[in-house]
Amino acid sequence: MRILYIGDSNPFSTSAHRISALKRLGYTVSVQNPHEACKKQLEDFVWGKVHYRTGYFLLQKTIENWLSTLLEREAAFDLVWVDSGELMGKRCLQKLKTLGVPVILYNVDDPTGKRDGGRFKSLLKALPLYDLVVVVRPETEKECRELGANKVLLVYRSYDEEAHKPYADLRDIPDQFRSEVAFIGTWMRHEKRDEFLLRLIEQGVPVSIWGGRWQKSPNWNKLKPYVRGGGLGGREYVAAIQGTKICIGMLSKGNRDLHTQRSLEVPYAGGLFCAERTSEHRQLYQEGVEAVFWSDAVECARICKELLANDTLRETIRIAGMKRVRALGVGNENTCQTILETVFQTT
């Protein structure tokens, strides 16, 4: 099968991991990044914000022309996989539909939610034209159906079987990625991640932070001594997960998250997952057995201290979490195969 994959090809992106998984499954994948067609406009400080807030409406003609050129040059595909889809409006989808093959949308954001304002306006108008829309939260599934999507598939987010594979020998993990308690993630406005981590630090939890934009936090001066580095990718990301005793997971409340990529990646990569107690986290893991959960910083600090003082319990939970996430079958290869089987069952 030959797949036209329209999405981000950054080697450390989740999109790139899905591309790799499709190739490992034996599919021929032609990757085309629509952002390259309007890179200058998107990277402009002012116009980039304008396009984001208007749902990329003003860029639709540019994307349509890009698609026309692409399809004239290379049109023999069995399936089109659109990742994210924020740049692809209704006329773009009509153009793709002329190929006469199934067109899938895979979106792990919250396109029907309120956090990102008008970012997904063009995408939402195109929803009815997709043969299958794949989403990661029940609210999005329901709202996509209400907006006219013909077939919607709800899946968990995924780890990648190769990119997140743990080190076979723990001695190979570089010392700079070893820690007691780690948070690997970006500072986000309004999410109060900085305040949460600061409370842990104030209660004596030895926190290490990796990620971008932390200097924008109002608490930067207090957090700065605990920031070990910027955003991580590839084997460094796995090293920081596997090299810590406890790995903190946080949600994006603006995105209505009840689980995130970290929810699957951390246990798969060999980390002990310590995250907010939600219905989906409790569906994924048995609390206190395969992962640990908290409701606030006070409870999180108490759990971290107890686990740091009990090597046997900590290791038991970590290993159980690794076994559980593999049993769930939520790797990229499993998920991609499920998506493809679903779309061909319905077209």
Side-chain angles (χ1 to χ4, degrees):
M1 183 192 298
R2 193 152 188 259
I3 298 173
L4 170 59
Y5 192 103
I6 299 176
D8 186 9
S9 54
N10 181 308
F12 294 140
S13 68
T14 57
S15 178
H17 294 158
R18 284 187 285 278
I19 294 166
S20 178
L22 288 167
K23 290 179 178 178
R24 294 196 301 267
L25 289 168
Y27 300 110
T28 300
V29 185
S30 175
V31 182
Q32 304 293 334
N33 187 351
H35 289 80
E36 293 298 321
C38 43
K39 186 176 181 179
K40 188 174 291 185
Q41 298 97 311
L42 293 173
E43 291 181 350
D44 183 90
F45 181 77
V46 175
W47 278 107
K49 291 184 177 181
V50 170
H51 292 312
Y52 183 98
R53 292 173 181 173
T54 57
Y56 306 100
F57 171 76
L58 298 173
L59 293 177
Q60 289 307 294
K61 191 62 180 177
T62 300
I63 302 296
E64 289 170 38
N65 291 338
W66 172 80
L67 272 178
S68 295
T69 302
L70 169 63
L71 298 183
E72 286 172 7
R73 184 180 72 243
E74 195 174 15
F77 298 102
D78 302 297
L79 178 105
V80 179
W81 184 304
V82 178
D83 194 283
S84 180
E86 61 186 328
L87 297 182
M88 311 288 288
K90 186 175 181 179
R91 289 174 64 88
C92 291
L93 262 292
Q94 290 170 339
K95 196 170 290 291
L96 287 175
K97 295 292 284 184
T98 63
L99 291 172
V101 300
V103 183
I104 293 171
L105 171 68
Y106 183 103
N107 187 295
V108 297
D109 286 301
D110 191 2
T112 56
K114 297 179 179 180
R115 189 192 74 170
D116 295 333
R119 175 186 176 189
F120 293 105
K121 280 184 179 180
S122 295
L123 165 68
L124 296 180
K125 291 178 181 178
L127 280 179
L129 292 170
Y130 285 97
D131 294 286
L132 178 66
V133 174
V134 184
V135 296
V136 297
R137 56 181 59 78
E139 299 93 337
T140 314
E141 178 190 23
K142 175 178 178 292
E143 290 156 4
C144 283
R145 292 184 192 280
E146 291 171 350
L147 289 168
N150 295 305
K151 177 73 174 179
V152 186
L153 176 65
L154 177 65
V155 299
Y156 281 115
R157 294 172 183 253
S158 308
Y159 60 80
D160 189 78
E161 293 86 346
E162 289 298 321
H164 302 127
K165 184 180 293 185
Y167 284 80
D169 190 337
L170 293 177
R171 291 173 297 183
D172 292 336
I173 297 174
D175 289 340
Q176 66 262 38
F177 297 114
R178 296 182 183 275
S179 64
E180 298 291 295
V181 178
F183 176 69
I184 306 167
T186 306
W187 175 83
M188 299 176 71
R189 192 182 302 277
H190 307 308
E191 293 290 348
K192 298 185 179 181
R193 293 176 171 184
D194 51 350
E195 294 179 16
F196 183 91
L197 294 172
L198 191 57
R199 290 194 192 101
L200 294 186
I201 292 166
E202 289 170 347
Q203 292 176 74
V205 177
V207 174
S208 294
I209 302 169
W210 280 272
R213 298 167 54 190
W214 285 95
Q215 68 277 10
K216 294 186 177 183
S217 164
N219 295 298
W220 169 242
N221 288 334
K222 294 179 181 178
L223 290 173
K224 186 176 180 180
Y226 303 93
V227 176
R228 299 270 297 273
L232 298 175
R235 299 309 291 166
E236 290 185 348
Y237 174 64
V238 174
I241 291 174
Q242 202 177 0
T244 190
K245 294 178 180 177
I246 302 169
C247 197
I248 302 289
M250 294 195 201
L251 307 172
S252 171
K253 300 299 176 59
N255 254 4
R256 301 186 290 181
D257 285 342
L258 293 177
H259 82 286
T260 69
Q261 293 290 137
R262 300 284 193 274
S263 305
L264 296 314
E265 292 170 354
V266 167
Y268 182 79
L272 192 161
F273 187 53
C274 176
E276 184 171 346
R277 186 180 291 107
T278 69
S279 57
E280 290 182 7
H281 277 155
R282 297 181 82 174
Q283 288 168 10
L284 288 166
Y285 306 109
Q286 186 176 350
E287 182 171 359
V289 177
E290 297 161 337
V292 292
F293 304 132
W294 39 264
S295 296
D296 55 33
V298 173
E299 185 179 13
C300 180
R302 176 181 59 77
I303 291 171
C304 286
K305 290 177 182 178
E306 290 173 356
L307 288 173
L308 290 174
N310 191 331
D311 294 348
T312 301
L313 176 61
R314 196 176 65 245
E315 187 66 3
T316 299
I317 296 173
R318 185 187 73 82
I319 292 172
M322 288 182 70
K323 292 179 178 178
R324 170 61 175 168
V325 77
R326 285 159 173 76
L328 286 169
V330 290
N332 275 330
E333 292 175 23
N334 296 97
T335 301
C336 287
Q337 192 61 45
T338 297
I339 291 168
L340 295 177
E341 290 172 358
T342 301
V343 74
F344 282 109
Q345 287 170 0
T346 59
T347 55

